[in-house]
Amino acid sequence: MTDSHKVVFDNIEWINAGIGVRYKVHIHENQRLRIVEFSEGFVEPDWCLHGHAGMVLEGSFGLDFNGRTERYSKGDLIFIPGGEADKHKAVLRTGEKVTLLLFEIMDG
């Protein structure tokens, strides 16, 4: 048990997850908060089927929804239901960088 419900991301180390992607994560039970940074060189190899809700903190990027790309910029909110119908991939243009805050429910 903790005395505070505050999550201090400044005290959490970055995890490098591959070329052009890193994140910080806080997990409590089945809830996960992540700050994710995508930058040039990131290529998502497979479609993501997980649901996400979040906000673009800095920068801009695109999400490819099975061939249809939507663009997001600082301040935009994102809500993606999980599943095949909403499968998606992050797409960055040359020189683009984006930082997202994501709220996620982890599968049991």
Side-chain angles (χ1 to χ4, degrees):
M1 190 92 178
T2 179
D3 292 336
S4 175
H5 294 88
K6 182 189 291 188
V7 177
V8 182
F9 274 107
D10 286 343
N11 296 338
I12 299 173
E13 294 292 322
W14 284 102
I15 297 170
N16 290 310
I19 297 171
V21 62
R22 66 183 188 156
Y23 66 91
K24 295 182 177 195
V25 64
H26 173 81
I27 298 173
H28 180 75
E29 296 177 354
N30 72 331
Q31 298 178 58
R32 175 172 58 192
L33 295 175
R34 288 191 301 154
I35 291 183
V36 181
E37 180 184 277
F38 295 112
S39 58
E40 193 168 344
F42 175 73
V43 175
E44 200 152 20
D46 297 310
W47 292 101
C48 180
L49 301 176
H50 299 286
H52 307 282
M55 181 176 188
V56 179
L57 299 176
E58 294 290 335
S60 62
F61 78 121
L63 280 171
D64 178 347
F65 291 95
N66 201 28
R68 181 182 49 84
T69 300
E70 293 182 8
R71 299 286 308 161
Y72 297 89
S73 298
K74 181 178 179 176
D76 286 344
L77 300 174
I78 299 168
F79 179 78
I80 305 169
E84 183 70 28
D86 293 291
K87 67 183 180 181
H88 54 281
K89 291 183 179 189
V91 178
L92 280 81
R93 294 177 178 160
T94 301
E96 243 177 0
K97 181 177 178 181
V98 67
T99 305
L100 308 169
L101 173 61
L102 298 175
F103 302 87
E104 302 159 324
I105 302 296
M106 296 169 45
D107 297 331

